[in-house]
Amino acid sequence: MGDHRATAKVRVNGAPAEATLFCTDPPGAANGGGGDGGELRWRCAGGAAAERVLSLDADVLGVEARGKEVVVKAFVLPADAAARSVSCAAGAGKGGGGRRRRRRDYVFEMAAGEDAAAAWCDRMRGSLDSLGRPKRLFILVNPFGGKKCGKKIYEAEIKPLFEAAGVNVTMQETRYQGHAREVASSLDLARYDGIVCVSGDGVLVE
């Protein structure tokens, strides 16, 4: 078990800042044990804005290195609704529209270059992997349930989150009453970490 802290000069979505990455190796991390994952903090140059904080566990879906950039794929509250933080990015905080979480990418351009970006990316990936999140999911979508918006909701709101988190998904649309029961009865559950239903209560009842 150990704590890891790294600080770097960066540009966050184009704005100069100093960022600190704090990661914790939880007990049993090597065996897939859970932990809080740590956090990523940054403050805009000049110190006028409040410090921005992303919890790797609660806010970050995934991370990707692109040259000297680290792209943090987040699912966060609007900046003006989160009392703990204000984003460095220009225009953030306008039109908050309530406290519903939204997908957002934070691009950290590392002043130290590609090696630093790769190191930060690897460290964050290791922390995310230690959380024990599902990697393979089977999705049942009922396009006829509720207001017949099941497929639209999945494509627009749910699928992008799984893609950002690097989750492998198998999606099956139900075509008639009882179809979900047939699919579930023949499913090899060992291939998946979980089953997700996008529907009204009909699929769950089946």
Side-chain angles (χ1 to χ4, degrees):
M1 179 176 178
D3 295 339
H4 304 280
R5 179 189 179 104
T7 300
K9 298 292 185 182
V10 299
R11 298 184 72 89
V12 184
N13 292 354
E18 181 174 272
T20 299
L21 174 63
F22 181 82
C23 298
T24 300
D25 292 336
N31 299 316
D36 61 10
E39 61 187 19
L40 178 60
R41 296 173 173 264
W42 70 94
R43 185 185 297 274
C44 298
E51 184 177 57
R52 178 67 163 131
V53 183
L54 290 179
S55 163
L56 297 187
D57 182 6
D59 301 324
V60 177
L61 297 170
V63 62
E64 177 183 358
R66 299 176 185 169
K68 62 180 180 180
E69 296 178 344
V70 178
V71 181
V72 178
K73 303 173 183 181
F75 189 47
V76 294
L77 292 169
D80 59 345
R84 63 178 178 169
S85 60
V86 176
S87 173
C88 295
K94 296 180 181 179
R99 296 185 61 84
R100 184 178 180 183
R101 284 182 177 262
R102 300 175 181 177
R103 261 288 287 121
R104 182 172 185 180
D105 286 344
Y106 294 92
V107 180
F108 289 73
E109 181 182 340
M110 310 296 291
E114 294 187 12
D115 289 345
W120 275 48
C121 186
D122 287 346
R123 188 166 292 174
M124 281 189 274
R125 280 179 178 162
S127 292
L128 293 174
D129 287 344
S130 76
L131 297 174
R133 292 176 174 176
K135 297 294 186 182
R136 302 168 301 171
L137 294 174
F138 188 88
I139 317 294
L140 277 169
V141 178
N142 179 5
F144 308 107
K147 298 180 180 179
K148 299 184 178 180
C149 294
K151 185 174 181 180
K152 181 179 179 181
I153 291 172
Y154 171 72
E155 294 288 345
E157 299 188 30
I158 301 172
K159 183 179 178 181
L161 299 182
F162 289 148
E163 289 177 342
V167 178
N168 293 318
V169 301
T170 301
M171 193 272 282
Q172 170 72 60
E173 289 187 41
T174 56
R175 297 190 295 271
Y176 48 82
Q177 187 173 359
H179 189 201
R181 185 186 302 110
E182 294 176 6
V183 172
S185 64
S186 62
L187 200 62
D188 182 1
L189 297 179
R191 294 179 55 194
Y192 305 101
D193 299 318
I195 299 175
V196 176
C197 296
V198 183
S199 67
D201 57 6
V203 169
L204 294 176
V205 170
E206 290 184 26

